[in-house]
Amino acid sequence: MLVMLRHSPHGSSWLREGLDVALVGAALGRKVHVLFLGDGVQALIAGQTSGPLGQKGTHPTLDMLEMYDIDTLLVDGESLAQRGLTIDDLQLPVSLVDAASLPRVLAEHSPIYSF
Amino acid sequence: MKYALLVQGAPYSQQASHSALRFASALIARGHTLGTVFFYHDGVYNASRLATPPQDEPNLVEAWRRLHQEQGTSLLVCIAAALRRGIIDEREARRHGKEGHAVESPFELTGLGQLIDVHTTHDRLVTFSP
Amino acid sequence: MLLHILNRSPASSRVPFDALRAMGDNDRLLLLEDGVYGAVAPLAETFASIRGRIFVLKEDLVSRGLEHRQAETMELVDMQGFVALTEQATQTVSWY
């Protein structure tokens, strides 16, 4: 299954709740790939902290993905470039997806969850 | 075909519930069945029996309930998303020492695993989000 | 073939552009809710590359006072037409 994460951390719970779907899928034995796209790439920026009032960040959850055998982290290169980011700015090793491959990533996965 | 819907928008705040209910009647009219509606994110507010809309607005909770009565559709509410938003049933209220509860049958609090399973038991999943 | 479902307008969001980049050559796109604002020129030009594969939910266009204002590239569907699109697609992807 593919979990597309398209929202940034802290501003809403979409990212957290999308990650929960990925973790539960993996816990149930599904092969889970994660695609970071649009503002979702902000989830990967190194150096995030928890927010005021003890708002939990999502960065610790990203570190847990590997423990759940979620080791395919795909990142849309165009989304990174639009936001002035490169792969060196990210907290985890990822696979870059170029413009030509992006539609193929979706075509090759079932089911797809979009958050 | 057997359909499942994922509803993630709060009723009366976002159009997602309306769109999902309209889609539900249309798929039934086309001879399909609606097996499951899964409520996640702010969609869990659709399950609140305490919602009291003005009389000239549609009663969305009632519309969901009718789907269950007429189609046997399961109305599943993600328990993790629901609890932190105060959408709890009697059992959870007791367990957490709270007075009052928002969720009653035919809505059921359930785990996210049920959303993952939807794909093995349904032909289509369509998501309605804010 | 995937059916992409979009409820954001290109006037207010980058999400439509992400959806377009993710679409395969045969994929289809349905505009609904606030997504239907993108069906009217000049915003409709955003979707020029997927001519013949773009649909608009009629009731959302009508409720917003935009009936008959959609670009000629847009194919109108009613709610049953939306269901039919989901029948024909192998799966759906929602963009919001």
Side-chain angles (χ1 to χ4, degrees):
Chain A
M1 59 186 248
L2 180 70
V3 178
M4 286 170 51
L5 300 174
R6 303 181 299 102
H7 289 83
S8 48
H10 292 296
S12 72
S13 64
W14 287 117
L15 177 62
R16 160 172 306 285
E17 291 180 313
L19 280 167
D20 284 347
V21 169
L23 294 175
V24 170
L28 290 173
R30 303 297 198 282
K31 186 70 207 159
V32 180
H33 295 173
V34 179
L35 170 64
F36 295 88
L37 179 73
D39 279 340
V41 301
Q42 312 277 17
L44 291 159
I45 295 183
Q48 295 173 56
T49 66
S50 54
L53 281 180
Q55 185 194 29
K56 282 173 78 177
T58 42
H59 53 293
T61 312
L62 290 183
D63 287 329
M64 283 166 50
L65 292 176
E66 201 182 355
M67 273 168 24
Y68 281 78
D69 291 327
I70 303 176
D71 41 25
T72 303
L73 302 182
L74 306 165
V75 177
D76 173 49
E78 174 73 25
S79 298
L80 279 181
Q82 283 171 355
R83 290 159 180 80
L85 299 170
T86 71
I87 220 161
D88 296 332
D89 298 311
L90 310 182
Q91 72 175 62
L92 288 172
V94 297
S95 310
L96 272 188
V97 177
D98 63 21
S101 320
L102 183 59
R104 212 176 314 138
V105 169
L106 274 74
E108 285 169 354
H109 285 85
S110 177
I112 298 172
Y113 293 94
S114 168
F115 290 102
Chain B
M1 284 196 254
K2 192 172 175 190
Y3 277 75
L5 306 184
L6 171 59
V7 176
Q8 308 199 97
Y12 307 107
S13 302
Q14 311 285 347
Q15 205 186 332
S17 304
H18 280 90
S19 299
L21 281 162
R22 292 276 301 139
F23 186 83
S25 351
L27 76 88
I28 292 161
R30 283 180 67 85
H32 302 298
T33 55
L34 180 58
T36 301
V37 181
F38 194 93
F39 299 94
Y40 193 42
H41 191 77
D42 284 351
V44 299
Y45 291 116
N46 283 279
S48 175
R49 71 182 174 95
L50 303 171
T52 314
Q55 285 200 341
D56 60 350
E57 287 186 38
N59 189 324
L60 299 172
V61 180
E62 195 47 46
W64 294 120
R65 215 178 275 140
R66 216 172 310 124
L67 276 176
H68 172 80
Q69 283 158 6
E70 293 168 6
Q71 282 275 310
T73 304
S74 301
L75 304 174
L76 307 180
V77 184
C78 172
I79 189 167
L83 256 59
R84 48 165 70 90
R85 290 173 172 89
I87 303 298
I88 60 175
D89 62 10
E90 206 167 1
R91 201 176 75 157
E92 292 300 323
R94 220 177 305 120
R95 190 209 304 254
H96 296 281
K98 307 271 185 187
E99 272 180 48
H101 62 279
V103 179
E104 268 180 3
S105 172
F107 291 91
E108 307 167 46
L109 294 181
T110 183
L112 256 189
Q114 296 268 4
L115 175 62
I116 308 292
D117 283 341
V118 148
H119 284 280
T120 54
T121 49
H122 296 67
D123 302 301
R124 292 288 183 276
L125 173 70
V126 183
T127 298
F128 293 90
S129 287
Chain C
M1 185 265 288
L2 303 179
L3 175 68
H4 299 262
I5 301 168
L6 174 66
N7 68 358
R8 289 283 187 276
S9 156
S12 57
S13 168
R14 292 190 86 120
V15 168
F17 302 94
D18 289 338
L20 281 169
R21 289 193 299 110
M23 283 180 67
D25 291 341
N26 297 313
D27 288 0
R28 292 166 165 179
L29 181 68
L30 172 73
L31 307 179
L32 85 176
E33 303 179 351
D34 285 350
V36 303
Y37 290 119
V40 179
L43 293 175
E45 283 156 29
T46 308
F47 306 102
S49 63
I50 55 164
R51 204 186 170 101
R53 296 184 282 133
I54 180 151
F55 302 83
V56 187
L57 190 62
K58 186 178 175 188
E59 62 185 46
D60 286 343
L61 208 56
V62 171
S63 62
R64 285 164 176 76
L66 297 176
E67 196 182 12
H68 308 309
R69 292 202 193 204
Q70 77 279 5
E72 56 164 23
T73 46
M74 302 283 158
E75 185 172 333
L76 290 191
V77 291
D78 61 10
M79 213 24 116
Q80 293 217 15
F82 177 10
V83 176
L85 288 171
T86 67
E87 292 164 10
Q88 293 153 17
T90 50
Q91 58 177 331
T92 64
V93 180
S94 292
W95 299 85
Y96 51 92

